[in-house]
Amino acid sequence: MKVNYDFYSGKDNYSDGNIENEIIEYEEKYNNVEEIFKKDIRWPVFYHLTPIRKNILNWYPFKEQSSVLEIGAGMGAITELLCEKCKEVVSVELSKNRAKSIENRNKDKDNLEIIVGNLNDIDFGDRKFDYITLIGVFEYAALYTNTQNPYKDFLDNIKKLLKPDGKLLIAIENKFGMKYWLGAPEDHTNIKYDGITGYDKNNKVRTFGKEELKTILKNSELSHTKFYYPLPDYKLPSLIFSEDFLPTKENIKNYIPYYYENTEIEFDEIKAFTEVIKDNMFEFFANSFLVEASSQEITTNIDFEKIKLIQISKESKKFYEKDYTKKDNKSEIESLKNENQELKSKIEIIQNSRSYKFARGISKFVKGE
């Protein structure tokens, strides 16, 4: 592993605060995430360290011997996964502090280079990549690209780093996501209905609907796209659907929403999705997108029969593996591997009449294989 500070500005402009230092201390003190969660299960700790984050791409068929540029790697939630799937990984992170976490979590990876700095300042020379990931990053483009058209210009700069047949992978919230109609605050501005009403008070951080996002990509000559729909969202996905494999009113019942603590919602999300699915409108209301974009035709073939994700079961409130067993949109949940086997850890979910929320008392976690 190599860490490159040549492009670091000396300031960490993006941070969750001092809790990031605590997370780094945990990484250096404890051997695994289960030990950390026994001590501290506050939302930032859980969010940055949970293996559930890997679900967004652990099923994606990266081609063999491929190279990937991970932009906005955060604290390394999916960096390890990329190192396992690809021959060469370059992770770009603005924050030196967060880069330290990536380093802690990937000490044994000899195919990883961490570059600390703003992507717009980094000189990659003649390097080109098979894949570039923007996981929870594209919505912030206007903060770090000071131009009249920051989203297009940001993509134009990225496209220069892709091989001719390279693919851009974007994970982002849908501004028309069902959870926002229910009254959940916009994830970035914390304002109810902010995206739905056009971000009236904000022009620096924003998400997009499906058609708007497709237009932005097309304007940067990334006109070939495939959309995937992670539920509950791209952050903690337990179900993955696609344009060719959409949810039905039967299997949407396996979906368990989650909301941030103290969120007040107006109606039942699963019931609303059931009605939306009947009218073939799920793709408009999906909470998040994972978008595969390229300047050439995309021929990625996903075998949904083999996708397995960590999932919370509504009935047992324990973690199961999700297995798509049929291509006719039917799904089944595998029984818990061994009810009598001592669980390494688990997450307890508090359910009330209006929402599910992660409890402070979470002490254990079932790790997906």
Side-chain angles (χ1 to χ4, degrees), residues 22-23 26 71 98 179 189 194 233 238 241 256 278 285 309 321-322 329-330 356 360 365:
E22 296 180 53
I23 292 172
Y26 290 152
I71 299 174
R98 291 189 168 197
K179 68 178 183 180
T189 67
D194 200 16
D233 55 25
S238 60
F241 295 98
I256 299 178
K278 289 180 184 178
F285 289 102
L309 305 177
E321 285 187 346
K322 172 68 180 174
N329 284 0
K330 301 298 182 181
Y356 290 96
R360 285 183 176 273
F365 183 75

Side-chain angles (χ1 to χ4, degrees), residues 81-300:
L81 173 72
L82 295 176
C83 289
E84 292 168 353
K85 286 182 168 284
C86 302
K87 180 180 180 180
E88 176 190 7
V89 179
V90 177
S91 294
V92 174
E93 173 51 45
L94 275 167
S95 162
K96 182 178 180 180
N97 212 33
R98 291 189 168 197
K100 179 61 177 175
S101 177
I102 301 171
E103 185 178 357
N104 285 341
R105 298 167 74 170
N106 294 279
K107 291 179 179 179
D108 61 336
K109 300 297 186 297
D110 58 9
N111 61 336
L112 172 63
E113 178 183 1
I114 304 168
I115 303 179
V116 186
N118 187 326
L119 176 77
N120 296 319
D121 300 330
I122 297 172
D123 181 5
F124 288 93
D126 296 329
R127 297 173 80 176
K128 304 283 185 181
F129 299 88
D130 295 296
Y131 301 95
I132 296 178
T133 66
L134 298 174
I135 310 300
V137 172
F138 188 53
E139 56 267 42
Y140 296 101
L143 285 175
Y144 305 106
T145 306
N146 189 21
T147 66
Q148 291 295 317
N149 197 347
Y151 298 99
K152 180 182 184 303
D153 294 340
F154 183 63
L155 287 179
D156 287 345
N157 288 337
I158 288 172
K159 186 173 179 293
K160 295 174 184 176
L161 299 171
L162 274 176
K163 293 180 180 179
D165 62 344
K167 297 179 179 67
L168 176 64
L169 302 174
I170 300 176
I172 189 171
E173 293 88 353
N174 174 15
K175 76 175 184 180
F176 297 120
M178 181 63 76
K179 68 178 183 180
Y180 293 144
W181 296 94
L182 270 63
E186 207 278 349
D187 282 50
H188 310 91
T189 67
N190 203 37
I191 300 173
K192 279 190 174 184
Y193 312 115
D194 200 16
I196 294 172
T197 58
Y199 295 99
D200 293 336
K201 299 179 181 179
N202 166 63
N203 60 0
K204 288 295 184 182
V205 181
R206 61 185 302 121
T207 61
F208 311 93
K210 180 176 179 178
E211 293 305 314
E212 186 179 9
L213 188 53
K214 287 174 68 175
T215 298
I216 293 171
L217 290 164
K218 184 177 181 180
N219 289 340
S220 291
E221 299 182 359
L222 293 165
S223 56
H224 296 275
T225 59
K226 279 192 175 184
F227 276 71
Y228 305 90
Y229 307 102
L231 284 175
D233 55 25
Y234 79 83
K235 298 183 182 73
L236 300 176
S238 60
L239 295 168
I240 303 285
F241 295 98
S242 76
E243 293 168 314
D244 299 322
F245 190 83
L246 293 170
T248 66
K249 62 182 180 181
E250 286 80 22
N251 62 26
I252 197 66
K253 296 175 184 178
N254 295 328
Y255 158 53
I256 299 178
Y258 80 92
Y259 310 99
Y260 297 123
E261 195 170 0
N262 300 321
T263 295
E264 293 292 327
I265 61 173
E266 302 300 326
F267 49 88
D268 186 283
E269 185 171 342
I270 296 176
K271 288 183 179 179
F273 265 130
T274 301
E275 294 304 307
V276 161
I277 288 167
K278 289 180 184 178
D279 211 36
N280 298 318
M281 288 292 290
F282 171 79
E283 293 173 274
F284 180 85
F285 289 102
N287 285 329
S288 289
F289 305 127
L290 174 67
V291 190
E292 191 179 13
S294 179
S295 59
Q296 297 186 15
E297 183 179 357
I298 297 172
T299 59
T300 307

Side-chain angles (χ1 to χ4, degrees), residues 51 54-60 81 85 307-310:
K54 297 178 182 179
N55 278 351
I56 192 61
L57 286 176
N58 66 2
W59 52 273
Y60 184 81
L81 173 72
K85 286 182 168 284
I307 291 181
K308 290 187 177 182
L309 305 177
I310 300 169

Side-chain angles (χ1 to χ4, degrees), residues 46 317 319 345-349 358 362 364-366:
F46 176 79
K317 302 177 186 176
F319 275 85
S345 53
K346 71 180 179 180
I347 286 183
E348 295 177 353
I349 304 298
F358 286 100
I362 297 169
K364 296 180 181 179
F365 183 75
V366 171

